[in-house]
Amino acid sequence: MRPIETLLLLTNLLTFTALVFPRLHAVRWTGYSALIALLIVGTQALMEGARWQMVPAYTLSGLFFLIWLWQNIATAGGIATNRLVAGLGVGLGVLGLAVSIVLPVILPVFRFPHPSGPYAIGTLTYHWVDADRPEAFSTDPNARRELMVQIWYPANGDPTSPRAPYLQDVGALTSTLARLHHKPAFLFGNLQYITTHAIPSAPVADDEPSYPVLIFLEGLTGFRQMNTFQIEELVSHGYIVAAIDQPYAAAWVVFPDGRKTSVLPLDQMQALVRQSYLPADRAPVLNGREYEQGIIHYLAQDVLFTLDQLATLNMTDPNDILTGRLDLQRAGVFGVSLGGIVAGEACRLEPRLRACLMMDAPMSTDVVQAGLQQPGMWITRDAETMRLERQQAGGWPEDEIHVHLTSMRAVYESLPGDGYFVQVPGIFHINFTDVPLWSPLFSWVGATGPIDAQRAFHIINAYSLAFFDRHLKGRPAALLDGPAQQYPEVILETRRP
């Protein structure tokens, strides 16, 4: 909860106690706590922004103020209060307090973990159109592939500068999430108040002439900011990260002119993705065209196009911020779930990518057959953890578990150079994203693994940073040399040439 929200709840609790136990009025200021609570309501709404999760707290503040006025009038006029009415009021007050506390706790305005690196973080967003590539997901033959790409970079930060919101166009996200998960949209309303550590359009940090570049790829029905916990940590240690929103695979994409795309119907999109690693006899069809190898190759072209656009941006940034600051000789890619599959395919196609991190994702048949030439890291979990997730949260049939683990291991074992196979027992799929921060409900209903969400973040960040530091910056990374005392639950396998 935000500070003034917490203050309001505490003041309401104090006011209720003072109303129930009039002797507390002997402490003079408690007699005015009802009035103080009303003032806090106004302050909170103005400074932090009102939200529906706080409506019970706002209502209680108003009711307590009216009761306080009544008590003062009744005391002055010698009016007795009916005991039954008083008892009912106390019971309703306790219930109201419980609801007013629980709602903002289960749907919090959370904060991201503070990045551990020395750099502040800046961010910019770009809209790029690939004029040479038709939009495969559109029935319009003239449509061309368009991407929204958000870039985070090491910055010279002013502690007083306003921070960027977690999500842009929150309304589009909440309506899409509501539709995908069959939940009312207002349940996601707290996301509009979340801010990050990034400063919009901040100047680039001048410690280095340029910084290595990483491309991040989202999961199916995800969004480009879905791994902010990981992106901010990498940027704080001197990386530029460009996250691609891939239209029709992302939950939603909003273009600068207001046009929006939503994810393709899930059954159709899952068939197109699955065809790349568990092919069906009958290939899926999209807009009249059969995709015998699935859609992954097409999505990987987004990465290649983004690399080209980053090279152009490095020559001339229209914002006059990133010109000359991107070191594309030290470029890597990382992705989660669908993004991990696409990352593997992009690395197969593109030698400009020098390091490849795939998180909890099977590898496409093409990647298994051809292998990868770059250093690679896979972060995943064991089959038993996947089965436990199936019991508690659904998904993960046995054929998916099998191809998930065997395809990753096949590519890992075929690497000609350095490779790392990182297993974290007890981590669930959702723990690879920001989503556990959204609400403790995910943990309570078993959607997250036995592992603590913050612990999962620490492990993912530590191994991601060590991998890219070693293979893009040439730095020592003792964490990758064997079992780590600070992460005893991690099972690490390594390959060296």
Side-chain angles (χ1 to χ4, degrees), residues 200-483:
S201 303
V204 183
D206 51 15
D207 297 53
E208 301 287 343
S210 60
Y211 297 91
V213 176
L214 303 173
I215 293 176
F216 170 70
L217 295 158
E218 66 211 354
L220 182 61
T221 75
F223 46 95
R224 64 179 184 261
Q225 306 95 337
M226 66 184 290
N227 279 49
T228 293
F229 82 91
Q230 185 181 22
I231 290 171
E232 290 195 336
E233 178 69 7
L234 288 165
V235 175
S236 78
H237 285 274
Y239 290 90
I240 293 174
V241 176
I244 306 173
D245 254 341
Q246 297 190 283
Y248 302 98
W252 91 109
V253 180
V254 180
F255 297 110
D257 61 4
R259 288 176 299 115
K260 301 174 184 179
T261 68
S262 294
V263 65
L264 218 61
L266 278 180
D267 289 348
Q268 185 180 9
M269 193 66 197
Q270 287 169 342
L272 286 163
V273 172
R274 186 182 170 97
Q275 186 71 13
S276 71
Y277 62 89
L278 267 178
D281 293 336
R282 186 172 182 178
V285 176
L286 177 62
N287 295 326
R289 176 184 171 187
E290 284 192 355
Y291 282 79
E292 293 185 2
Q293 278 76 45
I295 201 68
I296 297 303
H297 181 83
Y298 179 82
L299 295 176
Q301 299 297 320
D302 291 344
V303 180
L304 279 58
F305 172 65
T306 296
L307 281 171
D308 293 339
Q309 292 301 110
L310 291 173
T312 300
L313 186 70
N314 200 38
M315 291 188 289
T316 306
D317 178 8
N319 295 292
D320 198 28
I321 291 177
L322 293 173
T323 303
R325 308 310 300 272
L326 292 83
D327 184 352
L328 291 166
Q329 298 303 310
R330 295 184 292 169
V333 65
F334 65 110
V336 59
S337 194
L338 170 64
I341 309 174
V342 176
E345 176 69 1
C347 285
R348 180 182 75 86
L349 298 171
E350 182 51 77
R352 286 179 293 177
L353 296 169
R354 305 296 179 86
C356 310
L357 168 59
M358 286 72 61
M359 296 183 291
D360 214 34
M363 296 289 95
S364 71
T365 302
D366 287 343
V367 172
V368 172
Q369 292 176 349
L372 298 179
Q373 301 305 306
Q374 307 95 323
M377 173 179 278
W378 288 262
I379 306 179
T380 187
R381 58 265 175 74
D382 58 293
E384 287 307 309
T385 297
M386 293 181 178
R387 295 186 183 109
L388 177 62
E389 183 174 355
R390 180 174 63 204
Q391 294 171 12
Q392 296 186 190
W396 299 105
E398 283 299 315
D399 60 344
E400 287 280 353
I401 293 174
H402 176 75
V403 73
H404 188 102
L405 293 175
T406 57
S407 63
M408 286 190 295
R409 182 166 290 282
V411 181
Y412 161 73
E413 291 180 349
S414 71
L415 288 173
D418 290 0
Y420 312 89
F421 200 84
V422 183
Q423 292 190 78
V424 188
I427 194 171
F428 282 7
H429 198 62
I430 199 174
N431 293 112
F432 287 90
T433 73
D434 296 334
V435 175
L437 292 172
W438 291 11
S439 171
L441 280 174
F442 290 107
S443 175
W444 299 345
V445 301
T448 61
I451 194 170
D452 176 75
Q454 294 293 340
R455 180 66 173 174
F457 289 169
H458 285 311
I459 291 171
I460 293 167
N461 283 342
Y463 282 88
S464 301
L465 182 62
F467 173 67
F468 288 123
D469 273 357
R470 172 174 281 182
H471 292 288
L472 294 183
K473 292 186 176 182
R475 292 181 176 175
L479 187 65
L480 304 182
D481 293 332

Side-chain angles (χ1 to χ4, degrees), residues 126-139:
Y126 296 85
H127 171 225
W128 292 329
V129 180
D130 188 347
D132 297 327
R133 192 156 54 111
E135 176 52 83
F137 294 95
S138 174
T139 57

